[in-house]
Amino acid sequence: NFKNLNLSNIIEQTIFEFSSEAHKKDISLIFLKPETEIPEILGDEEMLRVVFQNLIENAIKYENRNDKIFISLKYNLKNKEVEISIRDTGIGIKKEDQARIFDKFYRGGNAIKKDETGTGLGLFAAKNIIEHHKGKIWVESKVKSGTTFFIKLPIS
Ligand code: ATP
Ligand code: MG
C-alpha cells in the first residue's frame, strides 16, 4: 500500500511508542532530526513502521542500562535518498554473526544470553520490507561497544 509519507513524523511517533520501554532501563532515545524539511518518500506506512519498531526494539533490548540511543534521519540531495541510522552502545554483534543476523530465525549467541525471548524474525522482516522499497539496510558493530543499523531509501 504505497503512499507519500513523512518519515520524520513516523520515526518520531515510533520513538514515542517506545518511550516507556526505554524509560524502564533508563535509556534515552534521542532523535537527530533533519535540519531542513525532507521530501516525502513513497512507501507503505504500516510496513515501514514495523522496520523502525524492530530496530528500536532491538536497540533497547541489547543496550545497557542508562545509555543513549541515537536515531538520525537525513536527506542526501545528490543521491535522492533518505538515510536513517539507529545507534546503540550495547552488547554489539560478533563479526561472524553480522553476516547472518538478517537470516530467518537467526539469533546471535550473546543476544540469547542477554535475552532468552526472541524469534530472530525482526531483522529478517526489516530487510524484506526495505528491499521492497528498493532500499538498503546494513549493520556496523563492535562487540561490547555497540551497534549501528543504517537504512537508505530512494525518494522516488
Ligand atoms: P525478535 O524476533 O524478537 O526480534 P531477535 O531480536 O533475536 O528476536 P532480530 O531482531 O532478527 O531477532 O535480530 C537478530 C539478531 O541480531 C539478534 O538475536 C542479535 O543477535 C542481533 N542484534 C540485532 N540488533 C542488535 C543490536 N542492536 N545489538 C546487538 N545485537 C543485535
Ligand atoms: Mg529483534
Side-chain angles (χ1 to χ4, degrees):
N1 182 14
F2 276 58
K3 291 196 177 119
N4 279 322
L5 305 174
N6 179 319
L7 274 189
S8 190
N9 288 348
I10 293 173
I11 291 172
E12 204 151 41
Q13 287 158 10
T14 311
I15 290 172
F16 182 74
E17 280 171 42
F18 280 92
S19 53
S20 76
E21 204 56 39
H23 185 74
K24 283 185 207 157
K25 285 177 74 178
D26 290 319
I27 288 169
S28 316
L29 296 175
I30 298 160
F31 185 24
L32 306 170
K33 280 197 224 179
E35 281 154 29
T36 52
E37 190 92 351
I38 68 161
E40 293 190 323
I41 76 140
L42 192 61
D44 184 312
E45 177 166 352
E46 291 305 307
M47 291 294 115
L48 289 175
R49 279 183 191 278
V50 168
V51 173
F52 303 134
Q53 285 163 353
N54 289 348
L55 294 177
I56 293 172
E57 181 189 59
N58 281 347
I60 296 171
K61 191 151 95 166
Y62 304 119
E63 177 65 295
N64 305 310
R65 294 191 67 87
N66 248 298
D67 277 354
K68 296 187 177 78
I69 293 167
F70 289 95
I71 297 125
S72 82
L73 171 64
K74 285 182 197 154
Y75 176 47
N76 185 325
L77 181 75
K78 199 174 116 240
N79 300 338
K80 290 200 163 49
E81 285 172 333
V82 293
E83 303 171 344
I84 299 137
S85 70
I86 296 103
R87 180 170 98 228
D88 67 60
T89 50
I91 62 175
I93 305 168
K94 276 192 283 181
K95 199 97 211 136
E96 57 265 40
D97 279 342
Q98 288 176 25
R100 304 182 60 190
I101 54 171
F102 295 98
D103 293 353
K104 199 172 189 175
F105 302 126
Y106 190 80
R107 302 196 69 216
N110 50 353
I112 295 168
K113 225 190 285 165
K114 186 168 171 75
D115 181 327
E116 285 172 38
T117 63
T119 56
L121 284 173
L123 289 178
F124 175 73
K127 187 167 201 260
N128 261 283
I129 294 165
I130 293 301
E131 287 177 352
H132 274 94
H133 286 78
K134 300 190 163 51
K136 287 199 177 94
I137 179 169
W138 70 99
V139 68
E140 286 174 13
S141 185
K142 204 174 159 213
V143 171
K144 289 185 183 157
S145 82
T147 302
T148 306
F149 282 90
F150 297 92
I151 293 172
K152 277 188 182 174
L153 287 168
I155 288 295
S156 48

